[in-house]
Amino acid sequence: MYMKLTTIILSVGLLVGASTAIGQEPVQIAPQEAPSNDVSNEELEKFAKIYTEVQSESQEMQSEAVTIIESEGMDVDRFNEVANAQNNPSAEVEVKEGEKEKIQAISVKIQKLQQAFQGRVQEMIKKRGLTVQRYQEVYQAIQQDQELQQKLGKMIQG
């Protein structure tokens, strides 16, 4: 259940962007120039610490999102189904009476939750001595470099 929820509401993750599954336009904090693939061990260690903190915060956010969905009287699986259908014009999902209103109320609350989460992630990044832009550059470098991916994996696993 939480994994599905993650794919629906949590696109913040590593890139520190916010995007709701309810049809909102994504907000990305994108670097202005090409990322530097020169990532020091110190930066990679900072990134690894931030990454693990973000994962912990993400789990808390998912739990809060489940509470929001259930407090509006919806099942998480049904919320995911309807939210996915709203973002996929070719999906054929029958929306029952009252569900649109519930989805709208949930989306507003989840958007606020995401904004707060994004702010916390930005603070984590700054606290560890990186800028959001550098964090994103390191992330992009990791995506492009298998050696960095392996180093990061070892750092995260301890």
Side-chain angles (χ1 to χ4, degrees):
M1 173 166 70
Y2 289 114
M3 287 302 284
K4 284 184 187 177
L5 187 62
T6 300
T7 61
I8 296 297
I9 66 164
L10 186 61
S11 63
V12 177
L14 294 173
L15 288 180
V16 195
S19 172
T20 64
I22 320 301
Q24 308 293 319
E25 287 297 313
V27 176
Q28 294 286 333
I29 303 171
Q32 299 298 325
E33 50 195 61
S36 167
N37 284 337
D38 296 330
V39 177
S40 69
N41 280 338
E42 181 184 355
E43 285 179 315
L44 195 59
E45 286 175 15
K46 289 178 182 181
F47 184 94
K49 288 177 182 174
I50 295 164
Y51 178 84
T52 55
E53 290 174 358
V54 167
Q55 294 306 306
S56 177
E57 286 284 324
S58 170
Q59 289 175 350
E60 282 185 41
M61 182 181 133
Q62 290 172 44
S63 220
E64 290 176 44
V66 167
T67 301
I68 289 169
I69 292 166
E70 291 173 345
S71 73
E72 290 293 330
M74 282 197 88
D75 176 71
V76 173
D77 290 333
R78 179 62 181 164
F79 170 78
N80 287 336
E81 181 182 21
V82 174
N84 277 330
Q86 288 183 343
N87 288 329
N88 182 0
S90 64
E92 294 183 23
V93 172
E94 185 179 329
V95 179
K96 299 174 186 168
E97 187 175 329
E99 283 185 326
K100 268 189 173 179
E101 293 79 13
K102 287 180 183 181
I103 291 287
Q104 182 60 39
I106 292 167
S107 71
V108 168
K109 292 176 182 178
I110 287 178
Q111 187 174 20
K112 288 179 183 175
L113 183 64
Q114 286 177 320
Q115 289 169 347
F117 175 77
Q118 184 178 4
R120 288 192 307 267
V121 170
Q122 289 173 348
E123 285 303 312
M124 286 179 220
I125 291 169
K126 290 175 188 172
K127 185 176 99 182
R128 292 285 178 192
L130 292 177
T131 65
V132 172
Q133 180 174 339
R134 184 60 187 154
Y135 180 83
Q136 291 171 331
E137 290 171 351
V138 171
Y139 172 76
Q140 290 176 353
I142 291 167
Q143 296 292 26
Q144 299 168 2
D145 187 327
Q146 194 168 10
E147 186 179 327
L148 282 177
Q149 291 171 18
Q150 291 173 352
K151 281 183 179 180
L152 177 64
K154 287 178 184 176
M155 288 177 181
I156 290 171
Q157 293 176 353

